[in-house]
Amino acid sequence: MKRFLGIAAVALLIIAGAAWFLSRPAPDIYWQGYAEADFLRIGPTLAGKLTHLAVARGDSIANNGVLFTQDAVPDMAARDQASAQLHQAEAVLANLQNGAKPTEIAAATADVADAAANAARAGADLARRQALVRSGAVARAELDQAAQAANSAAAHLAAANARLAQARAPAGRTQEITGATMAVAAAQGGLDQAEWRVTQRDVRSPTAGRITDVFARAGETIGAGSPVVELLPPENILVRFFVPENTIGMLHRGDAVRIACDGCAGLIGATISFIAPNAEYTPPVIYSNDTRAKLVFLVEARPAPADATKLNPGQPVTVQAGQVGRPVAPP
């Protein structure tokens, strides 16, 4: 009887142990990796002499802050020359578009007034002579003379009006005005280009970040595109870690992960941004079913910019699936 009870007790212990084993929470899964960053190497758009370096290694820079300055004297002289050429082209166009001088227009206006008075006087004289001819007081010849005088006065009035219109009309012909207009547009383009070159001599930061390196000093001549400073924006800090082949299926782009590192106060949340499509071997081994577990996939996750500043490129990290403050779901 005692033997039976002992066997029953052992069986109960085995069942209880199995139940606990099956009901225990799944162990957390961790992956090893390191912090990395996409650095921005910033250089001038145009070749030139570096006159002032506004930042040093380790400085923080705001968005659109000045990084360095180049010699702008030649470009400023070219800008002044282009501005003068534009004013010259505009003056030529204005001269072609305008009419005669104001004094010439005034003289032509006076001629019109005088011709109009003469035409009115000649017309009135013709009307009187027509009345006298009907009464027989004036000969027909005098009427003809008055008619000719009235026609002549009208012709002079028409000529005076034509001269006034010509004085007020543009001095240039249509083709000349078109050419002068195009010359103004070309001069404006030259001025815009010269002003752009001047603005390029103050090189500014495209985003806020930290200066991680400086490659040149004031007094050096820098070629176009050659880096002068290296900038690290917080949003460019990421974590790269390696996931074994048997657990890569539990991760997807956009999933949340938790990052732990030495010296970090608590876990850092991040979002998976990239999963490598191809596997790689951790050591250089020959593939077989026995070495299948050595296959790993590169995964990248990006923390929020506010949290990314807690990580330094090259720093080892441990990555765990799930959001910060939430339990990890079993694979």
Side-chain angles (χ1 to χ4, degrees):
M1 183 66 179
K2 291 182 178 180
R3 183 178 181 184
F4 174 77
L5 292 175
I7 295 174
V10 172
L12 289 174
L13 289 174
I14 293 174
I15 294 173
W20 173 84
F21 181 82
L22 294 174
S23 63
R24 80 189 194 288
D28 291 344
I29 302 176
Y30 298 93
W31 304 288
Q32 302 302 318
Y34 55 92
E36 188 55 273
D38 296 325
F39 296 92
L40 298 180
R41 292 192 170 187
I42 302 174
T45 305
L46 306 171
K49 182 179 179 181
L50 188 64
T51 58
H52 176 65
L53 188 63
V55 295
R57 184 185 300 177
D59 287 351
S60 295
I61 186 72
N63 183 27
N64 203 39
V66 177
L67 296 173
F68 56 90
T69 302
Q70 291 178 291
D71 183 15
V73 173
D75 294 321
M76 294 174 66
R79 179 190 62 185
D80 295 341
Q81 180 182 5
S83 178
Q85 291 174 344
L86 174 61
H87 292 157
Q88 180 183 10
E90 290 175 340
V92 171
L93 176 61
N95 182 62
L96 294 175
Q97 289 176 331
N98 292 332
K101 298 178 181 180
T103 53
E104 294 174 340
I105 295 177
T109 303
D111 289 343
V112 169
D114 181 62
N118 289 334
R121 185 169 52 255
D125 185 55
L126 176 61
R128 287 195 300 270
R129 292 184 182 279
Q130 287 175 340
L132 292 174
V133 165
R134 286 192 294 270
S135 64
V138 174
R140 183 72 183 182
E142 293 185 12
L143 177 60
D144 295 338
Q145 291 178 354
Q148 292 176 358
N151 292 336
S152 177
H156 282 89
L157 177 58
N161 282 321
R163 288 192 296 271
L164 177 59
Q166 179 64 30
R168 289 174 174 173
R173 291 172 293 185
T174 303
Q175 296 86 344
E176 294 174 335
I177 294 176
T178 301
T181 302
M182 296 176 65
V184 169
Q188 181 65 60
L191 178 59
D192 292 343
Q193 183 181 22
E195 289 180 341
W196 175 83
R197 292 180 65 91
V198 172
T199 61
Q200 295 304 301
R201 296 306 181 181
D202 286 334
V203 179
R204 297 177 176 271
S205 175
T207 182
R210 185 174 77 249
I211 304 298
T212 56
D213 208 347
V214 177
F215 306 109
R217 296 292 182 270
E220 298 182 25
T221 299
I222 308 300
S226 299
V228 175
V229 298
E230 186 178 70
L231 176 67
L232 177 57
E235 61 271 17
N236 284 20
I237 298 177
L238 67 152
V239 169
R240 290 191 173 103
F241 58 99
F242 297 90
V243 179
E245 181 269 340
N246 59 347
T247 55
I248 190 63
M250 67 179 293
L251 298 180
H252 306 85
R253 185 179 180 184
D255 287 351
V257 294
R258 300 180 285 195
I259 302 170
C261 63
D262 296 338
C264 296
L267 298 175
I268 299 174
T271 302
I272 294 177
S273 59
F274 172 76
I275 299 176
N278 300 319
E280 56 187 270
Y281 287 115
T282 44
V285 297
I286 300 175
Y287 174 75
S288 67
N289 288 333
D290 295 334
T291 60
R292 183 174 179 179
K294 296 181 182 295
L295 284 173
V296 293
F297 287 81
L298 171 66
V299 181
E300 294 181 355
R302 295 183 180 269
D307 294 329
T309 55
K310 302 175 184 177
L311 301 172
N312 293 309
Q315 181 180 12
V317 297
T318 301
V319 182
Q320 183 182 10
Q323 297 179 358
V324 174
R326 295 187 181 181
V328 179

